[in-house]
Amino acid sequence: MPGHADCGPGRQLEVGGGHLDLRFDAPAFSVSPAELCDWTEQAARAVTHYFGRFPVSQVRIVLRPVEGDRVQTGTTYPDGGDGVPLITVQLGRRAGMPALQRDWVMAHEMVHLAVPSVPRNSHWLEEGIATYVEPVSRIQLGQISAQKFWGDLLLGIPKGMPQSGDRGLDQTPTWGRTYWGGALFCLLADIEIRQRSQGRKSLRDALRGVLSAGGSIRDDRTVIAVLAAADQAIGMSVLTDLYTRMAAHPAPEGIDWLWGRLGVSMQQGQVVFDDTAEWAALRRSMTQEP
Ligand SMILES: [Zn+2]
């Protein structure tokens, strides 16, 4: 029977105003209970830093042992059966601390807590925000490097580009368009908000606005309502307009122009930055502490 984790003295997993009820069967894993608590807390701190608080007042997190030596998958449920959101993470029994330090799943699932539940055909919005915000939140606390951040975007975003026969984000429920097409939507929105506000605002402010308007995973919302709350928080119509362009059309047509302007490329497996690029300063600001 999984019980409450023994996180040791002073480690109650209260982060950012949220109570994290972490449950696991300690003998099932090769890392110690304290290390499992540390890992969970690191992810919670990144998500708290991004959203200004932990997204929900209470969450239950259940670690399920599976074969292997890494963190496998996670799922987040608005209601675990008693009104409290539930995150389950499948963790390899033999996973060591390096695997936990490399892991993105825990933070990804916690970002889901900050996003309202939207209709099925717009699932890309939930997954896109989780996919994009997870590394942004972690780099802003120094948990990953700029090379890792941009390298993952350079490899991932092309998987979210429209392929032939695409009918826009709302009508193309493939894995690539759901996760990386949604992340592409977030990346384009983040850049446009930063540009139009002369660097004073970012997607973070828009998403904080959604959360403070009462929109967490426990709330069902239409996409339009979520994006309107986001735009209202930044005082600009960015996400709503982007949705109009991308929801029912295979847009954008290409993305190489964006990497060129940001001054980031992949050369022989290495991320290379060009600080003379037109948007180099904007690119640097995206991975710095705001
Ligand atoms: Zn997800």
Side-chain angles (χ1 to χ4, degrees), residues 41-289:
E41 189 179 338
Q42 288 297 311
R45 291 212 178 285
V47 172
T48 292
H49 185 260
Y50 189 85
F51 287 99
R53 63 178 170 89
F54 195 74
V56 291
S57 60
Q58 216 182 339
V59 62
R60 180 170 307 117
I61 301 172
V62 178
L63 307 181
R64 299 223 158 102
V66 291
E67 290 315 308
D69 59 3
R70 59 187 188 87
V71 185
Q72 293 195 354
T73 58
T75 311
T76 303
Y77 304 89
D79 182 349
D82 52 2
V84 175
L86 169 68
I87 291 175
T88 62
V89 174
Q90 324 261 351
L91 173 62
R93 293 171 185 274
R94 290 182 286 108
M97 254 334 256
L100 298 188
Q101 280 157 354
R102 273 197 309 273
D103 167 61
W104 55 268
V105 172
M106 186 63 88
H108 174 105
E109 297 307 327
M110 289 178 182
V111 174
H112 273 301
L113 298 170
V115 184
S117 299
V118 296
R120 190 75 210 164
N121 67 322
S122 298
H123 200 48
W124 58 268
L125 183 67
E126 297 174 17
E127 292 303 343
I129 292 173
T131 301
Y132 181 72
V133 169
E134 170 267 314
V136 174
S137 72
R138 291 173 67 223
I139 199 168
Q140 289 181 347
L141 280 194
Q143 296 180 2
I144 57 171
S145 66
Q147 276 77 13
K148 165 82 177 149
F149 177 84
W150 287 109
D152 285 354
L153 282 179
L154 284 165
L155 292 174
I157 289 291
K159 300 174 193 164
M161 294 299 292
Q163 307 297 313
S164 74
D166 190 279
R167 296 163 62 217
L169 284 173
D170 270 353
Q171 294 162 65
T172 314
T174 59
W175 176 86
R177 289 289 269 161
T178 300
Y179 284 79
W180 285 106
L184 169 66
F185 178 89
C186 292
L187 172 66
L188 294 174
D190 201 8
I191 289 172
E192 190 174 339
I193 295 166
R194 287 166 183 273
Q195 284 187 313
R196 283 173 55 180
S197 68
Q198 280 85 46
R200 286 192 295 275
K201 290 178 178 155
S202 73
L203 181 67
R204 193 184 76 161
D205 301 284
L207 296 179
R208 284 183 176 194
V210 174
L211 188 59
S212 61
S216 79
I217 191 169
R218 298 192 55 195
D219 303 280
D220 291 321
R221 294 276 195 280
T222 64
V223 173
I224 290 295
V226 173
L227 301 182
D231 278 345
Q232 189 172 2
I234 51 172
M236 292 181 275
S237 181
V238 173
L239 288 98
T240 308
D241 293 356
L242 201 53
Y243 180 63
T244 304
R245 294 204 289 279
M246 292 176 71
H249 310 281
E253 283 179 20
I255 200 66
D256 289 347
W257 63 270
L258 180 67
W259 308 132
R261 284 198 187 171
L262 291 170
V264 59
S265 60
M266 186 76 83
Q267 292 172 25
Q268 284 142 12
Q270 297 288 317
V271 176
V272 176
F273 298 117
D274 173 8
D275 283 336
T276 67
E278 188 183 355
W279 294 352
L282 185 151
R283 184 201 70 229
R284 285 193 298 270
S285 73
M286 291 171 70
T287 57
Q288 282 161 359
E289 169 80 17

